[in-house]
Amino acid sequence: MGRLFGTDGIRGKANQYPMDGTLAFSLGQAVTHILGGPGPRPKVIVGRDTRISGPMLESALVAGILSRGGDALQVGVLPTPGIAYLTTSLRADAGVMVSASHNPYEDNGLKIFSGQGFKLPDDMEEKIENLILGGTLPERVPSPENLGKLSRLKDAAGRYVEFLKQALPRRFSLEGMRLVLDTANGAAFGVAPAVFSELGADVHVINDQPDGVNINDHCGSQFTEGLQEQVIEKRADMGLAFDGDGDRLIAVDEKGNRLTGDQILFICALSLKNRGELKNDLLVSTIMSNLGLRTACRKHGIKHHASGVGDRYVLEDMRRLGAVIGGEESGHLIFLDAHTTGDGIFAGLRLAEVMVREKRPLSELAKWMEVFPQKLVNVEVRSKPDLNSIPEIVEVIRGAEAELGDRGRVLVRYSGTQDLCRVMVEGPTEDKVESLCRSIARVVEKALA
């Protein structure tokens, strides 16, 4: 039986193993057992996004928590970073989010936060996994009088909104700024508009009518075409697109151009440096970041560290190296001076703050970092053998690298959350990048699809 945990919790097709009610029940038991504090009643915060399978998995998860003697506090639909925040502010022992992030509605997942609001390290996930797969959980349940209790937090969204507003200086205002928000028919559909409106912005919202199956459906951070059109039509200063659970951000400037997570990251990092607030003059991203980010960092005297793919690995390196800002090209952006995890709404507020401070449109701020031509192709795979063990894949990658020399790079890796192999090429021209990426992808598909 394979590992349950990927790079971002457990994920799979809803109502099929491992993402079924049985596994959710066992996870609730295991989390309560392992992360529970010294007191007799561990407290676990439980939230979800808008997927149709969410209530089913949430109910099973809660049942598992209660059966192990933990108290479950349900907060309903809320962005993933909101669960991290509430876990710390309410002094809970753990928080669990039922979400598959940017995946389609057919998928779902379980993300776990420690009592300190951080995603779990590998060794802790391994303990939970071993307990679930070991078959000993039924032996660890308490007697009936020691079962846990269920309660619901009615003002969860309001608490989270107030926390987000504190990301900006007390008298800071977004008066006069016109924004378009794409909430992906997901967990941010209520909170995001409230935050920006309460700070004074003129807000127009799209994709804020979740029905259980339209989450991430050609909208949100992965599909920004509609947002780009609306920014132009509404003559907005900026567009912000979130993913299904609200932990990613992709921005659109006033001209309708899409900014990558790397660009947002660098804009915020350089602003911090210019104000003398960039701790250790350090920015952390991943090996997937655009070459332009490294070039811009060198130009402006910012040290750069590349982590493994996954926002929790970025966070681990940020804590280890003493950085206050880091993130991923995909839009997971972490501001460790004020938050414990990536937060799309929080990042959007910080970006808006830079625009106001600099008194410049987003299109000008985007020029702070030149984006090198990049092509990413996702190839569906049946299995995930070591790529270095497949001669034809190794050969085509080496050929592409030799052709690019020091003018680009090739990165081929498996997705940690889906049955995909990601082929990424950066280089001097769009045509060169497109050609090499497609050539590699064809070989990968032939070998693994």
Side-chain angles (χ1 to χ4, degrees), residues 107-172:
D107 296 342
N108 217 323
L110 297 161
K111 301 183 181 184
I112 308 169
F113 293 95
S114 71
Q116 293 72 45
F118 296 109
K119 291 182 180 178
L120 303 185
D122 289 342
D123 61 337
M124 190 62 71
E125 288 186 344
E126 187 174 354
K127 289 181 180 179
I128 292 173
E129 185 171 286
N130 290 339
L131 186 56
I132 292 173
L133 300 179
T136 61
L137 281 169
E139 304 168 9
R140 301 172 183 267
V141 297
S143 56
E145 67 270 19
N146 292 317
L147 291 174
K149 296 181 180 180
L150 171 65
S151 57
R152 292 177 174 82
L153 185 65
K154 295 182 180 180
D155 64 341
R159 290 175 182 241
Y160 180 45
V161 166
E162 288 305 309
F163 163 73
L164 289 167
K165 286 160 61 178
Q166 292 172 11
L168 302 177
R170 181 172 179 81
R171 298 188 181 280
F172 190 87

Short mmCIF file of all heavy atoms in Angstrom, two decimals, residues 107-172:
data_model
loop_
_atom_site.label_atom_id
_atom_site.label_comp_id
_atom_site.label_asym_id
_atom_site.label_seq_id
_atom_site.Cartn_x
_atom_site.Cartn_y
_atom_site.Cartn_z
N ASP A 107 -12.15 15.80 -6.95
CA ASP A 107 -11.12 15.48 -5.96
C ASP A 107 -11.45 16.13 -4.62
O ASP A 107 -12.21 17.09 -4.54
CB ASP A 107 -9.76 15.98 -6.42
CG ASP A 107 -9.27 15.29 -7.69
OD1 ASP A 107 -9.80 14.21 -8.01
OD2 ASP A 107 -8.38 15.84 -8.35
N ASN A 108 -10.84 15.58 -3.58
CA ASN A 108 -10.86 16.27 -2.30
C ASN A 108 -9.60 15.88 -1.53
O ASN A 108 -8.82 15.04 -2.01
CB ASN A 108 -12.12 15.96 -1.48
CG ASN A 108 -12.59 17.19 -0.71
OD1 ASN A 108 -11.79 17.99 -0.21
ND2 ASN A 108 -13.90 17.37 -0.62
N GLY A 109 -9.40 16.51 -0.39
CA GLY A 109 -8.17 16.26 0.34
C GLY A 109 -8.31 16.63 1.79
O GLY A 109 -9.32 17.18 2.24
N LEU A 110 -7.25 16.33 2.56
CA LEU A 110 -7.20 16.63 3.98
C LEU A 110 -5.84 17.26 4.29
O LEU A 110 -4.80 16.65 4.06
CB LEU A 110 -7.39 15.36 4.80
CG LEU A 110 -8.76 14.67 4.63
CD1 LEU A 110 -8.69 13.23 5.10
CD2 LEU A 110 -9.83 15.43 5.40
N LYS A 111 -5.86 18.50 4.77
CA LYS A 111 -4.64 19.22 5.14
C LYS A 111 -4.63 19.41 6.65
O LYS A 111 -5.64 19.81 7.23
CB LYS A 111 -4.58 20.59 4.45
CG LYS A 111 -4.63 20.54 2.93
CD LYS A 111 -4.50 21.95 2.35
CE LYS A 111 -4.57 21.96 0.83
NZ LYS A 111 -4.35 23.31 0.27
N ILE A 112 -3.49 19.16 7.26
CA ILE A 112 -3.39 19.18 8.71
C ILE A 112 -2.44 20.29 9.16
O ILE A 112 -1.36 20.47 8.59
CB ILE A 112 -2.88 17.83 9.25
CG1 ILE A 112 -3.73 16.69 8.70
CG2 ILE A 112 -2.91 17.82 10.78
CD1 ILE A 112 -3.14 15.32 8.97
N PHE A 113 -2.86 21.01 10.21
CA PHE A 113 -2.02 22.04 10.83
C PHE A 113 -1.76 21.68 12.29
O PHE A 113 -2.65 21.16 12.98
CB PHE A 113 -2.69 23.41 10.77
CG PHE A 113 -2.82 23.96 9.38
CD1 PHE A 113 -3.99 23.79 8.65
CD2 PHE A 113 -1.77 24.65 8.80
CE1 PHE A 113 -4.11 24.29 7.36
CE2 PHE A 113 -1.88 25.16 7.51
CZ PHE A 113 -3.04 24.98 6.79
N SER A 114 -0.57 21.98 12.74
CA SER A 114 -0.23 21.78 14.15
C SER A 114 -0.88 22.87 14.99
O SER A 114 -1.46 23.83 14.46
CB SER A 114 1.29 21.83 14.33
OG SER A 114 1.76 23.17 14.15
N GLY A 115 -0.76 22.74 16.30
CA GLY A 115 -1.30 23.76 17.18
C GLY A 115 -0.65 25.11 17.03
O GLY A 115 -1.21 26.13 17.45
N GLN A 116 0.53 25.14 16.40
CA GLN A 116 1.22 26.41 16.13
C GLN A 116 0.86 27.00 14.77
O GLN A 116 1.39 28.03 14.37
CB GLN A 116 2.74 26.21 16.20
CG GLN A 116 3.26 25.89 17.60
CD GLN A 116 2.91 24.48 18.04
OE1 GLN A 116 3.05 23.53 17.28
NE2 GLN A 116 2.44 24.35 19.27
N GLY A 117 -0.06 26.34 14.04
CA GLY A 117 -0.54 26.86 12.76
C GLY A 117 0.31 26.50 11.56
O GLY A 117 0.08 27.02 10.47
N PHE A 118 1.28 25.59 11.73
CA PHE A 118 2.14 25.19 10.62
C PHE A 118 1.72 23.83 10.06
O PHE A 118 1.21 22.97 10.80
CB PHE A 118 3.60 25.11 11.07
CG PHE A 118 4.18 26.42 11.50
CD1 PHE A 118 4.46 26.67 12.84
CD2 PHE A 118 4.45 27.41 10.56
CE1 PHE A 118 5.00 27.89 13.24
CE2 PHE A 118 4.99 28.63 10.96
CZ PHE A 118 5.26 28.87 12.29
N LYS A 119 1.95 23.63 8.75
CA LYS A 119 1.75 22.31 8.18
C LYS A 119 2.77 21.34 8.76
O LYS A 119 3.86 21.74 9.18
CB LYS A 119 1.88 22.37 6.65
CG LYS A 119 0.72 23.13 6.00
CD LYS A 119 0.82 23.14 4.49
CE LYS A 119 -0.37 23.89 3.88
NZ LYS A 119 -0.28 23.97 2.40
N LEU A 120 2.41 20.08 8.81
CA LEU A 120 3.23 19.11 9.52
C LEU A 120 4.49 18.73 8.75
O LEU A 120 4.46 18.60 7.53
CB LEU A 120 2.41 17.84 9.80
CG LEU A 120 1.10 18.01 10.56
CD1 LEU A 120 0.49 16.64 10.84
CD2 LEU A 120 1.31 18.77 11.86
N PRO A 121 5.58 18.49 9.46
CA PRO A 121 6.79 17.98 8.80
C PRO A 121 6.61 16.52 8.42
O PRO A 121 5.68 15.85 8.88
CB PRO A 121 7.87 18.14 9.89
CG PRO A 121 7.11 18.08 11.18
CD PRO A 121 5.78 18.73 10.89
N ASP A 122 7.51 16.02 7.60
CA ASP A 122 7.40 14.65 7.09
C ASP A 122 7.32 13.61 8.21
O ASP A 122 6.55 12.66 8.12
CB ASP A 122 8.59 14.33 6.18
CG ASP A 122 8.53 15.06 4.85
OD1 ASP A 122 7.44 15.53 4.48
OD2 ASP A 122 9.57 15.16 4.18
N ASP A 123 8.14 13.77 9.26
CA ASP A 123 8.16 12.74 10.30
C ASP A 123 6.85 12.66 11.05
O ASP A 123 6.41 11.58 11.44
CB ASP A 123 9.32 12.98 11.26
CG ASP A 123 9.23 14.32 11.99
OD1 ASP A 123 8.55 15.23 11.48
OD2 ASP A 123 9.84 14.44 13.07
N MET A 124 6.16 13.80 11.23
CA MET A 124 4.88 13.78 11.91
C MET A 124 3.80 13.16 11.01
O MET A 124 2.95 12.39 11.49
CB MET A 124 4.47 15.20 12.31
CG MET A 124 3.26 15.26 13.22
SD MET A 124 3.52 14.44 14.80
CE MET A 124 4.67 15.59 15.58
N GLU A 125 3.83 13.49 9.72
CA GLU A 125 2.90 12.84 8.80
C GLU A 125 3.11 11.33 8.77
O GLU A 125 2.15 10.56 8.69
CB GLU A 125 3.07 13.42 7.39
CG GLU A 125 2.54 14.83 7.24
CD GLU A 125 2.59 15.32 5.81
OE1 GLU A 125 3.31 14.72 4.98
OE2 GLU A 125 1.91 16.32 5.50
N GLU A 126 4.36 10.93 8.85
CA GLU A 126 4.67 9.49 8.84
C GLU A 126 4.09 8.80 10.08
O GLU A 126 3.58 7.68 9.99
CB GLU A 126 6.17 9.28 8.77
CG GLU A 126 6.57 7.83 8.59
CD GLU A 126 8.06 7.65 8.38
OE1 GLU A 126 8.78 8.66 8.26
OE2 GLU A 126 8.51 6.49 8.35
N LYS A 127 4.15 9.46 11.23
CA LYS A 127 3.56 8.87 12.44
C LYS A 127 2.05 8.69 12.29
O LYS A 127 1.50 7.66 12.68
CB LYS A 127 3.87 9.77 13.64
CG LYS A 127 5.32 9.76 14.09
CD LYS A 127 5.51 10.66 15.30
CE LYS A 127 6.97 10.66 15.76
NZ LYS A 127 7.19 11.56 16.93
N ILE A 128 1.40 9.73 11.74
CA ILE A 128 -0.05 9.65 11.52
C ILE A 128 -0.37 8.53 10.53
O ILE A 128 -1.29 7.73 10.74
CB ILE A 128 -0.59 11.00 11.04
CG1 ILE A 128 -0.47 12.04 12.16
CG2 ILE A 128 -2.03 10.88 10.56
CD1 ILE A 128 -0.82 13.45 11.75
N GLU A 129 0.39 8.49 9.45
CA GLU A 129 0.17 7.48 8.42
C GLU A 129 0.36 6.07 8.97
O GLU A 129 -0.45 5.17 8.71
CB GLU A 129 1.13 7.74 7.27
CG GLU A 129 0.94 6.84 6.06
CD GLU A 129 1.78 7.31 4.89
OE1 GLU A 129 1.42 8.33 4.28
OE2 GLU A 129 2.78 6.65 4.60
N ASN A 130 1.42 5.87 9.72
CA ASN A 130 1.68 4.54 10.28
C ASN A 130 0.59 4.11 11.25
O ASN A 130 0.22 2.92 11.31
CB ASN A 130 3.04 4.52 11.00
CG ASN A 130 4.21 4.62 10.03
OD1 ASN A 130 4.05 4.32 8.85
ND2 ASN A 130 5.36 5.03 10.52
N LEU A 131 0.06 5.06 11.99
CA LEU A 131 -1.02 4.74 12.93
C LEU A 131 -2.28 4.34 12.18
O LEU A 131 -2.98 3.39 12.56
CB LEU A 131 -1.28 5.93 13.84
CG LEU A 131 -2.29 5.73 14.98
CD1 LEU A 131 -1.89 4.56 15.86
CD2 LEU A 131 -2.42 7.01 15.80
N ILE A 132 -2.59 5.06 11.09
CA ILE A 132 -3.78 4.74 10.30
C ILE A 132 -3.64 3.37 9.65
O ILE A 132 -4.55 2.53 9.71
CB ILE A 132 -4.01 5.82 9.22
CG1 ILE A 132 -4.40 7.15 9.86
CG2 ILE A 132 -5.10 5.37 8.24
CD1 ILE A 132 -4.49 8.30 8.88
N LEU A 133 -2.49 3.12 9.03
CA LEU A 133 -2.30 1.87 8.30
C LEU A 133 -1.97 0.70 9.20
O LEU A 133 -2.07 -0.46 8.78
CB LEU A 133 -1.17 2.05 7.26
CG LEU A 133 -1.40 3.14 6.21
CD1 LEU A 133 -0.20 3.23 5.27
CD2 LEU A 133 -2.67 2.89 5.43
N GLY A 134 -1.59 0.97 10.45
CA GLY A 134 -1.21 -0.10 11.36
C GLY A 134 -2.36 -0.90 11.92
O GLY A 134 -2.16 -1.98 12.48
N GLY A 135 -3.58 -0.38 11.80
CA GLY A 135 -4.76 -1.13 12.23
C GLY A 135 -4.99 -1.17 13.72
O GLY A 135 -5.81 -1.96 14.20
N THR A 136 -4.30 -0.30 14.49
CA THR A 136 -4.45 -0.35 15.95
C THR A 136 -5.37 0.74 16.50
O THR A 136 -5.59 0.79 17.71
CB THR A 136 -3.07 -0.20 16.63
OG1 THR A 136 -2.50 1.06 16.27
CG2 THR A 136 -2.14 -1.33 16.20
N LEU A 137 -5.90 1.58 15.64
CA LEU A 137 -6.75 2.67 16.13
C LEU A 137 -7.97 2.20 16.91
O LEU A 137 -8.32 2.82 17.93
CB LEU A 137 -7.19 3.56 14.95
CG LEU A 137 -6.14 4.55 14.44
CD1 LEU A 137 -6.56 5.17 13.12
CD2 LEU A 137 -5.88 5.64 15.47
N PRO A 138 -8.66 1.13 16.48
CA PRO A 138 -9.83 0.68 17.26
C PRO A 138 -9.49 0.31 18.70
O PRO A 138 -10.37 0.35 19.58
CB PRO A 138 -10.32 -0.54 16.47
CG PRO A 138 -9.87 -0.29 15.08
CD PRO A 138 -8.54 0.38 15.22
N GLU A 139 -8.23 -0.03 18.97
CA GLU A 139 -7.83 -0.43 20.32
C GLU A 139 -7.57 0.79 21.20
O GLU A 139 -7.40 0.64 22.42
CB GLU A 139 -6.55 -1.27 20.25
CG GLU A 139 -6.67 -2.51 19.36
CD GLU A 139 -5.31 -3.14 19.11
OE1 GLU A 139 -4.33 -2.72 19.78
OE2 GLU A 139 -5.22 -4.05 18.26
N ARG A 140 -7.54 1.98 20.62
CA ARG A 140 -7.14 3.17 21.36
C ARG A 140 -8.30 4.09 21.71
O ARG A 140 -8.08 5.21 22.19
CB ARG A 140 -6.11 3.96 20.54
CG ARG A 140 -4.85 3.15 20.21
CD ARG A 140 -3.95 3.90 19.24
NE ARG A 140 -2.79 3.12 18.85
CZ ARG A 140 -1.61 3.18 19.44
NH1 ARG A 140 -1.43 3.98 20.49
NH2 ARG A 140 -0.59 2.43 19.03
N VAL A 141 -9.53 3.66 21.48
CA VAL A 141 -10.68 4.53 21.75
C VAL A 141 -11.03 4.51 23.22
O VAL A 141 -10.85 3.50 23.91
CB VAL A 141 -11.90 4.12 20.90
CG1 VAL A 141 -11.60 4.28 19.42
CG2 VAL A 141 -12.33 2.71 21.21
N PRO A 142 -11.52 5.62 23.76
CA PRO A 142 -11.88 5.69 25.17
C PRO A 142 -13.24 5.06 25.45
O PRO A 142 -13.99 4.70 24.52
CB PRO A 142 -11.89 7.19 25.44
CG PRO A 142 -12.34 7.78 24.13
CD PRO A 142 -11.71 6.91 23.07
N SER A 143 -13.59 4.98 26.71
CA SER A 143 -14.92 4.50 27.10
C SER A 143 -15.96 5.55 26.74
O SER A 143 -15.64 6.72 26.53
CB SER A 143 -14.94 4.21 28.60
OG SER A 143 -14.54 5.37 29.33
N PRO A 144 -17.24 5.15 26.65
CA PRO A 144 -18.29 6.06 26.19
C PRO A 144 -18.35 7.40 26.92
O PRO A 144 -18.60 8.44 26.31
CB PRO A 144 -19.57 5.25 26.41
CG PRO A 144 -19.13 3.84 26.26
CD PRO A 144 -17.76 3.79 26.86
N GLU A 145 -18.09 7.39 28.24
CA GLU A 145 -18.20 8.65 28.98
C GLU A 145 -17.08 9.63 28.64
O GLU A 145 -17.17 10.82 28.98
CB GLU A 145 -18.20 8.39 30.50
CG GLU A 145 -16.90 7.85 31.05
CD GLU A 145 -16.83 6.32 31.04
OE1 GLU A 145 -17.63 5.71 30.30
OE2 GLU A 145 -16.00 5.78 31.77
N ASN A 146 -16.06 9.16 27.94
CA ASN A 146 -14.93 10.02 27.59
C ASN A 146 -14.91 10.41 26.10
O ASN A 146 -13.89 10.88 25.60
CB ASN A 146 -13.61 9.35 27.96
CG ASN A 146 -13.43 9.23 29.46
OD1 ASN A 146 -13.73 10.17 30.20
ND2 ASN A 146 -12.97 8.09 29.92
N LEU A 147 -16.02 10.21 25.41
CA LEU A 147 -16.11 10.66 24.02
C LEU A 147 -16.02 12.18 23.94
O LEU A 147 -16.36 12.89 24.91
CB LEU A 147 -17.42 10.19 23.40
CG LEU A 147 -17.57 8.68 23.15
CD1 LEU A 147 -18.97 8.36 22.67
CD2 LEU A 147 -16.54 8.20 22.13
N GLY A 148 -15.58 12.68 22.80
CA GLY A 148 -15.45 14.12 22.62
C GLY A 148 -16.78 14.81 22.37
O GLY A 148 -17.81 14.15 22.15
N LYS A 149 -16.74 16.13 22.36
CA LYS A 149 -17.94 16.93 22.14
C LYS A 149 -17.78 17.76 20.87
O LYS A 149 -16.69 18.19 20.52
CB LYS A 149 -18.20 17.84 23.33
CG LYS A 149 -18.50 17.10 24.62
CD LYS A 149 -18.78 18.06 25.77
CE LYS A 149 -19.09 17.30 27.06
NZ LYS A 149 -19.36 18.22 28.19
N LEU A 150 -18.90 17.99 20.20
CA LEU A 150 -18.93 18.77 18.97
C LEU A 150 -19.52 20.15 19.23
O LEU A 150 -20.53 20.28 19.91
CB LEU A 150 -19.78 18.05 17.91
CG LEU A 150 -20.09 18.84 16.62
CD1 LEU A 150 -18.80 19.11 15.85
CD2 LEU A 150 -21.08 18.07 15.75
N SER A 151 -18.87 21.18 18.69
CA SER A 151 -19.41 22.53 18.76
C SER A 151 -19.14 23.23 17.44
O SER A 151 -18.33 22.77 16.63
CB SER A 151 -18.80 23.31 19.93
OG SER A 151 -17.39 23.36 19.81
N ARG A 152 -19.82 24.35 17.22
CA ARG A 152 -19.67 25.11 15.97
C ARG A 152 -19.35 26.56 16.28
O ARG A 152 -19.95 27.16 17.18
CB ARG A 152 -20.94 25.02 15.12
CG ARG A 152 -21.18 23.61 14.57
CD ARG A 152 -22.50 23.52 13.80
NE ARG A 152 -22.65 22.22 13.17
CZ ARG A 152 -23.10 21.14 13.79
NH1 ARG A 152 -23.43 21.19 15.08
NH2 ARG A 152 -23.20 19.98 13.15
N LEU A 153 -18.39 27.10 15.55
CA LEU A 153 -17.98 28.49 15.73
C LEU A 153 -18.71 29.35 14.69
O LEU A 153 -18.40 29.29 13.51
CB LEU A 153 -16.47 28.63 15.57
CG LEU A 153 -15.87 30.00 15.85
CD1 LEU A 153 -16.05 30.38 17.31
CD2 LEU A 153 -14.39 30.02 15.47
N LYS A 154 -19.66 30.15 15.14
CA LYS A 154 -20.51 30.88 14.21
C LYS A 154 -19.84 32.12 13.62
O LYS A 154 -20.22 32.59 12.55
CB LYS A 154 -21.81 31.29 14.92
CG LYS A 154 -22.68 30.10 15.32
CD LYS A 154 -23.97 30.55 15.98
CE LYS A 154 -24.84 29.36 16.37
NZ LYS A 154 -26.10 29.79 17.03
N ASP A 155 -18.86 32.69 14.32
CA ASP A 155 -18.24 33.93 13.84
C ASP A 155 -16.84 33.69 13.27
O ASP A 155 -16.00 34.58 13.29
CB ASP A 155 -18.18 34.97 14.95
CG ASP A 155 -17.29 34.53 16.11
OD1 ASP A 155 -17.01 33.32 16.23
OD2 ASP A 155 -16.87 35.40 16.90
N ALA A 156 -16.59 32.48 12.74
CA ALA A 156 -15.26 32.15 12.22
C ALA A 156 -14.83 33.10 11.12
O ALA A 156 -13.70 33.60 11.11
CB ALA A 156 -15.24 30.70 11.73
N ALA A 157 -15.72 33.35 10.16
CA ALA A 157 -15.37 34.22 9.04
C ALA A 157 -15.05 35.63 9.51
O ALA A 157 -14.09 36.27 9.05
CB ALA A 157 -16.50 34.25 8.01
N GLY A 158 -15.84 36.15 10.46
CA GLY A 158 -15.60 37.48 10.98
C GLY A 158 -14.26 37.60 11.69
O GLY A 158 -13.55 38.60 11.55
N ARG A 159 -13.90 36.58 12.45
CA ARG A 159 -12.60 36.58 13.13
C ARG A 159 -11.46 36.62 12.11
O ARG A 159 -10.48 37.34 12.28
CB ARG A 159 -12.46 35.34 14.00
CG ARG A 159 -13.34 35.31 15.24
CD ARG A 159 -13.20 33.97 15.95
NE ARG A 159 -14.06 33.86 17.11
CZ ARG A 159 -13.61 33.66 18.36
NH1 ARG A 159 -12.32 33.59 18.59
NH2 ARG A 159 -14.46 33.55 19.36
N TYR A 160 -11.62 35.83 11.07
CA TYR A 160 -10.57 35.75 10.04
C TYR A 160 -10.46 37.06 9.27
O TYR A 160 -9.36 37.53 8.96
CB TYR A 160 -10.88 34.59 9.11
CG TYR A 160 -9.88 34.36 8.00
CD1 TYR A 160 -8.52 34.38 8.22
CD2 TYR A 160 -10.33 34.11 6.70
CE1 TYR A 160 -7.61 34.17 7.19
CE2 TYR A 160 -9.44 33.88 5.68
CZ TYR A 160 -8.08 33.91 5.92
OH TYR A 160 -7.19 33.70 4.90
N VAL A 161 -11.60 37.69 8.97
CA VAL A 161 -11.59 38.98 8.28
C VAL A 161 -10.83 40.01 9.10
O VAL A 161 -10.01 40.78 8.57
CB VAL A 161 -13.03 39.47 8.01
CG1 VAL A 161 -13.04 40.94 7.60
CG2 VAL A 161 -13.68 38.63 6.91
N GLU A 162 -11.07 40.06 10.40
CA GLU A 162 -10.37 41.03 11.25
C GLU A 162 -8.87 40.75 11.28
O GLU A 162 -8.06 41.69 11.27
CB GLU A 162 -10.94 40.99 12.67
CG GLU A 162 -12.33 41.59 12.78
CD GLU A 162 -12.39 43.01 12.24
OE1 GLU A 162 -11.54 43.84 12.65
OE2 GLU A 162 -13.26 43.29 11.40
N PHE A 163 -8.50 39.49 11.31
CA PHE A 163 -7.08 39.14 11.27
C PHE A 163 -6.43 39.64 9.99
O PHE A 163 -5.33 40.21 10.00
CB PHE A 163 -6.92 37.62 11.40
CG PHE A 163 -5.56 37.11 10.97
CD1 PHE A 163 -4.44 37.33 11.76
CD2 PHE A 163 -5.41 36.43 9.77
CE1 PHE A 163 -3.19 36.88 11.36
CE2 PHE A 163 -4.16 35.97 9.37
CZ PHE A 163 -3.04 36.20 10.17
N LEU A 164 -7.10 39.43 8.86
CA LEU A 164 -6.55 39.84 7.57
C LEU A 164 -6.39 41.36 7.48
O LEU A 164 -5.39 41.86 6.96
CB LEU A 164 -7.45 39.34 6.44
CG LEU A 164 -7.43 37.83 6.19
CD1 LEU A 164 -8.58 37.43 5.28
CD2 LEU A 164 -6.09 37.40 5.58
N LYS A 165 -7.36 42.08 8.00
CA LYS A 165 -7.28 43.55 7.95
C LYS A 165 -6.09 44.07 8.74
O LYS A 165 -5.52 45.12 8.43
CB LYS A 165 -8.58 44.15 8.46
CG LYS A 165 -9.73 44.01 7.46
CD LYS A 165 -11.09 44.16 8.13
CE LYS A 165 -11.29 45.49 8.78
NZ LYS A 165 -12.65 45.61 9.37
N GLN A 166 -5.68 43.32 9.75
CA GLN A 166 -4.54 43.72 10.55
C GLN A 166 -3.22 43.55 9.80
O GLN A 166 -2.16 43.93 10.30
CB GLN A 166 -4.50 42.92 11.86
CG GLN A 166 -5.64 43.25 12.80
CD GLN A 166 -5.70 42.33 14.00
OE1 GLN A 166 -4.77 41.56 14.26
NE2 GLN A 166 -6.79 42.39 14.74
N ALA A 167 -3.29 42.98 8.58
CA ALA A 167 -2.08 42.85 7.77
C ALA A 167 -1.58 44.21 7.32
O ALA A 167 -0.41 44.35 6.93
CB ALA A 167 -2.38 41.98 6.53
N LEU A 168 -2.44 45.19 7.36
CA LEU A 168 -2.08 46.54 6.91
C LEU A 168 -2.02 47.49 8.11
O LEU A 168 -2.65 47.23 9.14
CB LEU A 168 -3.13 47.04 5.91
CG LEU A 168 -3.31 46.16 4.67
CD1 LEU A 168 -4.42 46.74 3.80
CD2 LEU A 168 -2.02 46.07 3.88
N PRO A 169 -1.29 48.60 7.98
CA PRO A 169 -1.24 49.58 9.07
C PRO A 169 -2.64 50.04 9.46
O PRO A 169 -3.56 50.06 8.64
CB PRO A 169 -0.42 50.73 8.46
CG PRO A 169 0.43 50.07 7.43
CD PRO A 169 -0.41 48.98 6.86
N ARG A 170 -2.78 50.43 10.71
CA ARG A 170 -4.10 50.71 11.27
C ARG A 170 -4.90 51.72 10.45
O ARG A 170 -6.09 51.53 10.23
CB ARG A 170 -3.94 51.22 12.71
CG ARG A 170 -5.27 51.52 13.39
CD ARG A 170 -5.07 51.83 14.86
NE ARG A 170 -6.34 52.14 15.52
CZ ARG A 170 -7.20 51.23 15.95
NH1 ARG A 170 -6.95 49.97 15.79
NH2 ARG A 170 -8.32 51.59 16.55
N ARG A 171 -4.27 52.77 9.99
CA ARG A 171 -5.00 53.82 9.27
C ARG A 171 -4.90 53.66 7.75
O ARG A 171 -5.24 54.57 7.01
CB ARG A 171 -4.49 55.20 9.70
CG ARG A 171 -4.73 55.49 11.17
CD ARG A 171 -4.40 56.92 11.52
NE ARG A 171 -4.61 57.18 12.94
CZ ARG A 171 -5.79 57.42 13.50
NH1 ARG A 171 -6.87 57.44 12.75
NH2 ARG A 171 -5.89 57.65 14.80
N PHE A 172 -4.44 52.50 7.31
CA PHE A 172 -4.28 52.26 5.88
C PHE A 172 -5.65 52.11 5.23
O PHE A 172 -6.56 51.50 5.78
CB PHE A 172 -3.45 51.00 5.65
CG PHE A 172 -3.04 50.80 4.22
CD1 PHE A 172 -1.89 51.39 3.74
CD2 PHE A 172 -3.82 50.06 3.35
CE1 PHE A 172 -1.50 51.21 2.42
CE2 PHE A 172 -3.44 49.87 2.05
CZ PHE A 172 -2.28 50.45 1.57
#
